[in-house]
Amino acid sequence: AVPVCHVQENVLQRVLQLPVVSSTCESLQRTYASTKEAHPLMASVCEVYERGVQGAGTLAMWSMEPVVRRLEPQFAVANSLACRGLDHLEEKIPALQYPVDK
């Protein structure tokens, strides 16, 4: 049975929970971590980049908050439509339910 989208459900969370997506993300995280461990210079560059991304993300969220609040009804409609589309994709493409290696 294909999961039905609930009011509070977030389409991004659902996509990230798909086995094919989550296994790909885990693989990328392992590769990133092992690369940082194997190459100290790369690790220092990555850490600077990570701090910059975190700072930029915090600033972006803070500055976008008023806009997001005003657009919340539109986001809810878009999320609902996206969830229904994801329901359809999960029904039509069973491979989404399996990790990448399968």
Side-chain angles (χ1 to χ4, degrees), residues 26-101:
E26 288 168 7
S27 175
L28 289 171
Q29 287 173 340
R30 282 192 303 271
T31 301
Y32 181 72
S34 65
T35 300
K36 281 174 51 174
E37 285 177 22
H39 304 284
L41 180 59
M42 179 66 88
S44 62
V45 170
C46 289
E47 287 167 12
V48 169
Y49 173 75
E50 290 166 8
R51 282 194 299 272
V53 168
Q54 286 173 343
T58 302
L59 180 59
M61 287 301 291
W62 177 78
S63 63
M64 290 297 295
E65 189 178 345
V67 174
V68 170
R69 264 189 269 121
R70 271 185 256 136
L71 294 176
E72 204 163 4
Q74 290 87 341
F75 287 146
V77 170
N79 184 64
S80 177
L81 289 172
C83 280
R84 280 189 263 153
L86 186 56
D87 289 341
H88 183 73
L89 279 176
E90 287 177 322
E91 184 180 310
K92 297 293 181 191
I93 308 171
L96 293 174
Q97 301 301 324
Y98 299 100
V100 174
D101 59 353

